[in-house]
Amino acid sequence: MSTHPEDREEGFIWLDGSLRPRSDASLPVLSHGLHYASTVFEGERAYRGAIFRSTEHSERLLRSARLLDFEIPYDAAALDAAKRAVVSANGFKSCYIRPIAWRGGETMAVAARQSSIHVAIAAWDWPSMFDVSEKMKGVRLDIAEYRRPDPRTAPCHAKASGLYMICTISKHAAERKGYADAMMLDWRGFVAECTGANIMFARDGVLHTPIADCFLDGITRRAIIDLARRRGIEVAERHIPPEELSGFDECFLCGTGAEVTPVSEIGPYRFMPGQVSRLLMEDYARLVNGG
Ligand code: PMP
């Protein structure tokens, strides 16, 4: 059976307060969220029945909506409970969870302060990949042409659908060239992140990662920083010019979907997945599995 969510007909989606059969959970074409990208979302994973950092994700969804000037009509506890209900109604133990909130269609114009706010939560299979030996081969990344925008030009700390337009274009371009993904620079030209994950580097046992001042400060990124510090690994959050990439030994992506994914190549730069990536991959696997 396909694991693609769009190929699945069965199962349940939580929509505006109740669980519905998937086929009944649909959205009117005239929705502000669709036409004007007044849409925010989350990506989460459940491991062995427990949603990793569920409340942090719920709180980020609420904050993302406020950054887009709308208020979600549920609090974090209600969202947490709804996510648990979706996981269990679909019979999952480990899965990916996708909460999404958007403006409805009462006003089909730019200004829409009085619009209704909708929330849906879906879940689907997305196998976790902690096969260390396979992952240690590393993935190959291109360097994207688009850059993460200046905070003065977009609500860059929101996990907002509109901000993913340049991610999709950049990832498609990378895939067409045979790469797995693309690393994006920020508006100043510093290393930022990938199209759906944060990025970290290691050199001489020190972990280096860009300051999340114009892109998503991932929940996984913060977890990895904590895990590294607990291991006594020094963590340097700083601006990283791309020319510095030639001096790093290791590189890996981190995010809910990517978990910890070592990188072997970014454009002209080469890395050798090694001890720091391996240790943090193992620590993260233990953490999400309740260890
Ligand atoms: N950056 C982007 C653009 C992302 O889509 C994601 C995945 N949500 C991340 C970073 C990592 O965030 P998190 O660890 O909270 O999943």
Side-chain angles (χ1 to χ4, degrees):
M1 190 190 82
S2 166
T3 55
H4 274 277
E6 57 273 34
D7 295 345
R8 291 191 54 206
E9 294 280 309
E10 75 278 20
F12 295 90
I13 287 180
W14 187 95
L15 175 60
D16 292 334
S18 60
L19 283 167
R20 310 189 187 189
R22 221 188 131 102
S23 49
D24 291 354
S26 56
L27 152 89
V29 168
L30 296 184
S31 291
H32 197 272
L34 179 63
H35 292 244
Y36 297 96
S38 49
T39 307
V40 295
F41 68 103
E42 275 303 315
E44 316 184 26
R45 277 187 189 265
Y47 294 89
R48 299 204 232 166
I51 302 171
F52 181 62
R53 309 246 156 129
S54 177
T55 306
E56 261 183 75
H57 282 282
S58 297
E59 285 168 353
R60 186 168 70 185
L61 186 73
L62 297 171
R63 276 199 310 279
S64 294
R66 285 184 199 121
L67 288 166
L68 267 65
D69 199 30
F70 70 86
E71 194 65 38
I72 291 176
Y74 304 97
D75 63 13
L79 294 170
D80 286 349
K83 287 184 275 183
R84 286 195 300 272
V86 171
V87 173
S88 118
N90 286 287
F92 288 130
K93 288 277 178 245
S94 297
C95 63
Y96 181 79
I97 303 150
R98 167 57 57 82
I100 184 159
W102 68 95
R103 282 191 188 278
E106 296 81 359
T107 317
M108 289 308 294
V110 172
R113 276 184 293 164
Q114 306 308 324
S115 70
S116 53
I117 303 301
H118 302 274
V119 181
I121 304 173
W124 57 81
D125 278 329
W126 188 3
S128 160
M129 238 267 275
F130 282 122
D131 176 345
V132 175
S133 59
E134 187 54 36
K135 279 203 133 182
M136 289 302 280
K137 291 179 188 160
V139 294
R140 297 174 59 244
L141 308 181
D142 195 9
I143 300 178
E145 289 194 9
Y146 277 110
R147 293 183 172 200
R148 301 309 306 171
D150 182 333
R152 291 168 298 187
T153 63
C156 58
H157 297 295
K159 192 168 167 63
S161 299
L163 291 168
Y164 282 84
M165 175 177 61
I166 55 174
C167 300
T168 298
I169 296 170
S170 302
K171 186 152 177 159
H172 286 180
E175 286 178 346
R176 280 194 193 97
K177 291 197 246 168
Y179 291 99
D181 201 346
M183 183 194 76
M184 304 180 85
L185 302 176
D186 73 16
W187 58 287
R188 294 158 296 202
F190 294 126
V191 171
E193 59 168 354
C194 244
T195 62
N198 291 118
I199 194 160
M200 302 208 172
F201 303 91
R203 178 174 60 210
D204 301 332
V206 177
L207 200 61
H208 301 256
T209 195
I211 301 168
D213 61 2
C214 62
F215 56 85
L216 205 66
D217 181 6
I219 290 167
T220 318
R221 173 185 183 277
R222 290 202 296 269
I224 296 288
I225 290 174
D226 286 348
L227 289 170
R229 290 195 170 129
R230 256 188 261 166
R231 282 235 173 233
I233 298 171
E234 188 190 326
V235 181
E237 283 184 78
R238 61 190 185 80
H239 294 311
I240 301 173
E243 305 77 61
E244 259 198 61
L245 298 191
S246 57
F248 292 120
D249 308 319
E250 298 181 44
C251 172
F252 62 87
L253 303 180
C254 61
T256 298
E259 299 173 316
V260 174
T261 298
V263 172
S264 58
E265 206 177 307
I266 305 178
Y269 305 103
R270 299 289 175 272
F271 308 91
M272 185 56 79
Q275 186 65 5
V276 174
S277 307
R278 180 187 292 271
L279 269 180
L280 291 171
M281 199 190 306
E282 288 168 353
D283 285 358
Y284 185 68
R286 247 191 312 278
L287 178 68
V288 297
N289 283 293

